[in-house]
Amino acid sequence: MRTGLTGFLGSALVLAAPVLAETAAAPAEDADKLPVVVVTATRTARQAEDVPAAIDAVPVDTADRAALGVNVSEVLEAVPGVLARNRQNYAQDEQISIRGFGARSTFGVRGVRLFVDGIPASMPDGQGQVSHFNLDSADRVEVLRGPFSALYGNSAGGVIQLFTADGRDADEIRLGLVGASYGVGRASVNARGSSGPFGYNLDFSHFQTDGYRDHSAARRESGNAKLSWDFGSGSSLTVVANTVYIPDADDPLGLTRAQYEADPRQVAAVAEQFDTRKSVDQKQVGAIFEQAIGGAHTLRLMAYGGRREVEQYLAIPVATQSNPLHAGGVIDLDGDYAGADARWTYALDPIELTVGLNYDEQDQHRRGYENFVGEALGVRGRLRRNEINTVDNFDQYAQATWRFAERWSLMAGVRHSKVKFDMTDRYVVGANPDDSGNRDYSATSPVAGLLFEASPDASVYASWGKGFETPTFNELGYRNDGGSGLNFGLLPARTRSGELGAKWRFGRAAALDVALFRADTDDEIAVATNAGGRTSYRNVGAARRQGAEAGLTLGLAEDLSLRLAATWLEATFRSGFLTCTGVPCTNPTTPVAAGTRIPGVPRTDLHAGLTWGGERGWRFGAQADYVSSIPVNDVGSESAPMSVIYAADVGYGFELPNGRLRSFLRVDNLFDRDYVGSVIVNDGNGRYYEPGAGRSVMLGLQWVWTR
């Protein structure tokens, strides 16, 4: 590990040296100013340095980036405290955690709240998806970490929001084409502009890949539309609609350590035998209406609705599926979801106050089928599960900022949440009983932060708060005593977190943010048993996540910029407990000692990125990413090895009579190193490892026509 970390730090210093030299030599008046960051993750527009919280706003413009433009991990890699990993498996979505929250998720995103243009992308139970995050039409992605995340309710270990760009004064049409190794391709068309009070941003993109590994091909169609009207007198309406369609994305499953070391491109044999795959079809529409009232009051109303259909084929032995109480090897989900949020804001210096109500619901029809017919595997068979799962939340929240002295400000808030789960069993056959049931969870989450402006360019802050995380419907799916029915005995995990931070702006050409944090959790949710294709969960006592993070941005003359991000995180169980090892396992007997690291969380991850150039002419970029070893199970018996991965790109922008044409060449995993891209925590078959892709060459073109 030392060799890898030393090598990474050496690479970072090489990247940083010319930049630091330029910073010292260049006059302040010649240096490019850092972009002004306007933060809305705290519900009111503020500059990041005025908020007592760790928060980043990352600009997104696929016309100005040498990247694929498909995965949100491409944007989040330079944000400290965030671990976003492309699984190379589009049947399971990306793996995202913030300060260790969400690391146990085996698919999708949980423990982190997700939003697109202020509309939730996380369901009321805390499970979310980023597959419909459309980067081609995006303006920025904002990431909020620490105590203030709790003001967004259940499972808010952090908050990630994507904002679609507004329509521009000049009409634009953008055409993009990207091709890369392993059959990767993306084509996109985007139109944005405005006409008087009306603005629009319309986008459609097609992505496909043959996959780095065997049995990992996928295709994704993504559409996004943002329409806005400014009615004058402080009145506006924004309508956002998006869709994502992923038909039969192959799932190569994970590999054991021996399989990974022998051939990282191989696939688990059972994946091909049972033709493991997943299909997703989601459509959503939402609207936000804002009305200014007088000079200090604003009313905001948001409503949304959508439908998501999922079909997934799993690799579960036929003998196991034949158990009368088993739900089969094919998951068929379809359901509607909707919600609304109403808030009133009062802003008159030195007070700013926001009060709101929030309601979300999901009504899901879950069916299970056998993944075989006779001796044929990978085909839908008999019905084995049929139930209606409903979950909703009703929350009330208030948040205030008070600038009580020239250099001092206080921000505080509270949110009361009530989450209701209900299951109606429609499959009562033979020995399979009626497993209907319900459970309610509630919590009040206070948070407060104090900020001191030490100088016009520096501030320090401290914040503290409480949060909670209910189990998701997937975690409630099976009881840990082997019986039938949902595991309604699970308690929500409850967290107390604190943060100390400082923010500096150097001559308006550089920014440095640092934070120390600690989060103590009671009733941590962890895996209880793995048996017969079922994973059950239980509460295991206390856990702690503590560490430090730092982000450095340098913007210099001549379009030269550097970004460094570093995270040190110690995530451990604070209470000992018994767990399972081996398959099948219905009786936990293996001890996990207090102080054992929480799986899925590396101690250290670092990012360094250097870019030079602008929209026109030559552009160069280089980056390095280091991730330390990652434990993969509760007992800590195995870990994914540390990795250091490099990338470089070169491009040229051509100026055209009515726009510009930009081309780029990018090489990822420059030295073609084998590494683990993500891990499957506590996999019952020991297939913990999802290999990252080998060296990949990418070519891209984007034409922007402006009227």
Side-chain angles (χ1 to χ4, degrees):
M1 184 177 75
R2 290 181 179 178
T3 302
L5 181 56
T6 302
F8 175 89
L9 292 174
S11 301
L13 289 174
V14 169
L15 290 176
V19 183
L20 295 174
E22 287 284 344
T23 303
E29 61 269 22
D30 294 333
D32 289 345
K33 295 180 180 180
L34 286 173
V36 176
V37 179
V38 177
V39 176
T40 55
T42 49
R43 295 194 174 88
T44 54
R46 306 176 71 89
Q47 292 185 337
E49 55 266 34
D50 296 331
V51 179
I55 189 164
D56 283 78
V58 184
V60 180
D61 189 344
T62 54
D64 194 39
R65 299 178 64 248
L68 182 60
V70 170
N71 304 301
V72 73
S73 56
E74 303 168 31
V75 177
L76 298 177
E77 60 191 4
V79 179
V82 178
L83 188 67
R85 317 205 74 183
N86 179 0
R87 295 177 181 269
Q88 302 296 321
N89 181 353
Y90 290 91
Q92 300 294 354
D93 215 339
E94 295 186 78
Q95 190 175 69
I96 300 175
S97 61
I98 294 181
R99 295 180 176 177
F101 289 97
R104 76 171 180 271
S105 180
T106 55
F107 65 93
V109 180
R110 61 105 61 257
V112 176
R113 300 297 294 185
L114 306 171
F115 295 84
V116 177
D117 292 313
I119 297 171
S122 297
M123 295 296 103
D125 66 347
Q127 189 78 42
Q129 306 287 333
V130 294
S131 55
H132 69 295
F133 274 36
N134 187 295
L135 296 182
D136 200 48
S137 60
D139 173 69
R140 69 192 187 280
V141 173
E142 296 184 0
V143 183
L144 174 67
R145 285 103 62 204
F148 274 92
S149 303
L151 291 179
Y152 285 84
N154 173 32
S155 300
V159 179
I160 298 175
Q161 297 208 51
L162 179 142
F163 291 90
T164 303
D166 294 326
R168 302 188 174 184
D169 292 338
D171 293 336
E172 280 188 357
I173 295 178
R174 302 181 175 201
L175 300 176
L177 186 64
V178 178
S181 306
Y182 314 118
V184 171
R186 179 180 71 86
S188 62
V189 57
N190 178 274
R192 61 184 71 179
S194 63
S195 177
F198 172 71
Y200 65 93
N201 185 338
L202 309 175
D203 189 90
F204 176 80
S205 64
H206 166 86
F207 164 75
Q208 65 183 41
T209 178
D210 293 337
Y212 168 68
R213 297 175 58 197
D214 297 335
H215 195 72
S216 61
R219 175 167 65 94
R220 179 192 294 176
E221 318 285 353
S222 175
N224 195 78
K226 180 179 181 180
L227 309 176
S228 59
W229 291 265
D230 184 349
F231 302 116
S233 301
S235 178
S236 65
L237 174 66
T238 301
V239 176
V240 180
N242 52 61
T243 178
V244 62
Y245 177 57
I246 307 173
D248 291 326
D250 290 334
D251 186 351
L253 306 180
L255 299 177
T256 66
R257 184 62 175 263
Q259 290 172 328
Y260 162 72
E261 292 177 347
D263 178 10
R265 300 191 67 174
Q266 68 175 297
V267 62
V270 292
E272 295 183 317
Q273 292 169 2
F274 286 92
D275 193 13
T276 51
R277 61 196 188 274
K278 183 179 180 180
S279 297
V280 176
D281 188 359
Q282 176 177 306
K283 298 176 177 63
Q284 178 179 292
V285 63
I288 300 172
F289 175 77
E290 292 187 275
Q291 176 66 61
I293 304 171
H297 304 269
T298 302
L299 179 65
R300 178 187 181 273
L301 303 175
M302 183 275 291
Y304 71 97
R307 181 172 180 81
R308 184 176 178 87
E309 299 175 357
V310 178
E311 182 184 57
Q312 185 172 13
Y313 286 72
L314 307 174
I316 299 175
V318 170
T320 301
Q321 294 185 56
S322 299
N323 185 317
L325 298 180
H326 202 278
V330 178
I331 299 173
D332 187 355
L333 297 173
D334 62 76
D336 301 319
Y337 57 91
D341 184 277
R343 75 177 67 146
W344 162 80
T345 299
Y346 169 83
L348 187 63
D349 193 57
I351 298 292
E352 189 174 88
L353 174 65
T354 297
V355 178
L357 301 173
N358 171 248
Y359 176 80
D360 304 283
E361 67 174 11
Q362 180 186 22
D363 189 359
Q364 182 175 265
H365 190 183
R366 177 188 290 266
R367 293 172 291 264
Y369 298 87
E370 294 174 341
N371 190 6
F372 65 91
V373 175
E375 296 184 0
L377 307 180
V379 292
R380 180 184 290 200
R382 294 180 301 167
L383 179 71
R384 299 298 300 275
R385 185 175 189 174
N386 187 6
E387 62 193 42
I388 301 298
N389 294 331
T390 302
V391 57
D392 64 67
N393 70 269
F394 179 56
D395 293 11
Q396 309 87 46
Y397 59 89
Q399 182 174 329
T401 301
W402 176 32
R403 191 175 182 87
F404 61 89
E406 183 179 357
R407 295 187 176 185
W408 292 88
S409 61
L410 175 67
M411 181 179 290
V414 64
R415 184 175 183 121
H416 177 75
S417 302
K418 188 168 186 178
V419 185
K420 297 181 179 181
F421 291 83
D422 184 86
M423 191 271 274
T424 302
D425 193 354
R426 292 184 174 180
Y427 188 75
V428 184
V429 178
N432 197 315
D434 186 346
D435 295 321
S436 300
N438 58 77
R439 178 67 192 270
D440 295 352
Y441 301 98
S442 63
T444 299
S445 303
V447 61
L450 183 66
L451 183 137
F452 172 66
E453 296 177 12
S455 73
D457 298 318
S459 60
V460 295
Y461 68 90
S463 61
W464 176 90
K466 290 184 176 182
F468 83 117
E469 179 180 36
T470 70
T472 66
F473 249 124
N474 291 311
E475 291 166 345
L476 292 170
Y478 300 107
R479 288 167 50 182
N480 54 28
D481 60 3
S484 64
L486 297 189
N487 188 13
F488 282 130
L490 268 178
L491 300 174
R494 299 180 185 271
T495 298
R496 303 169 306 282
S497 60
E499 178 177 278
L500 295 173
K503 305 179 183 187
W504 291 273
R505 302 297 178 261
F506 303 104
R508 304 195 67 182
L512 174 63
D513 294 353
V514 297
L516 302 175
F517 58 87
R518 181 165 130 178
D520 289 319
T521 301
D522 293 327
D523 295 320
E524 178 80 10
I525 299 173
V527 170
T529 64
N530 281 302
R534 297 184 175 194
T535 301
S536 66
Y537 295 82
R538 63 173 176 157
N539 301 105
V540 296
R544 174 174 293 169
R545 298 164 176 87
Q546 62 182 353
E549 61 188 32
L552 173 65
T553 301
L554 296 174
L556 304 170
E558 299 179 356
D559 297 316
L560 189 63
S561 64
L562 173 73
R563 175 69 178 177
L564 299 175
T567 305
W568 174 79
L569 175 59
E570 188 74 15
T572 58
F573 295 111
R574 306 299 294 172
S575 302
F577 60 96
L578 298 178
T579 189
C580 281
T581 55
V583 177
C585 176
T586 58
N587 183 27
T589 57
T590 303
V592 176
T596 302
R597 292 171 60 191
I598 296 175
V601 184
R603 275 201 177 98
T604 309
D605 66 272
L606 307 169
H607 170 86
L610 179 67
T611 59
W612 175 83
E615 294 182 352
R616 295 169 177 81
W618 288 103
R619 180 185 177 98
F620 300 93
Q623 71 180 58
D625 290 277
Y626 166 85
V627 178
S628 64
S629 63
I630 305 175
V632 297
N633 55 16
D634 288 340
V635 296
S637 61
E638 289 193 41
S639 295
M642 72 86 186
S643 62
V644 185
I645 304 300
Y646 301 88
D649 64 86
V650 59
Y652 192 86
F654 301 87
E655 186 169 359
L656 303 176
N658 291 309
R660 65 185 188 275
L661 176 67
R662 182 158 185 271
S663 61
F664 71 85
L665 169 67
R666 178 185 174 99
V667 182
D668 286 303
N669 195 356
L670 194 60
F671 301 108
D672 198 25
R673 294 182 174 174
D674 291 340
Y675 72 103
V676 175
S678 60
V679 299
I680 304 172
V681 171
N682 286 317
D683 182 81
N685 297 286
R687 295 193 291 261
Y688 305 116
Y689 306 99
E690 293 184 297
R695 182 188 295 119
S696 173
V697 179
M698 184 184 304
L699 289 170
L701 288 171
Q702 182 141 29
W703 173 64
V704 180
W705 174 85
T706 305
R707 187 177 67 178

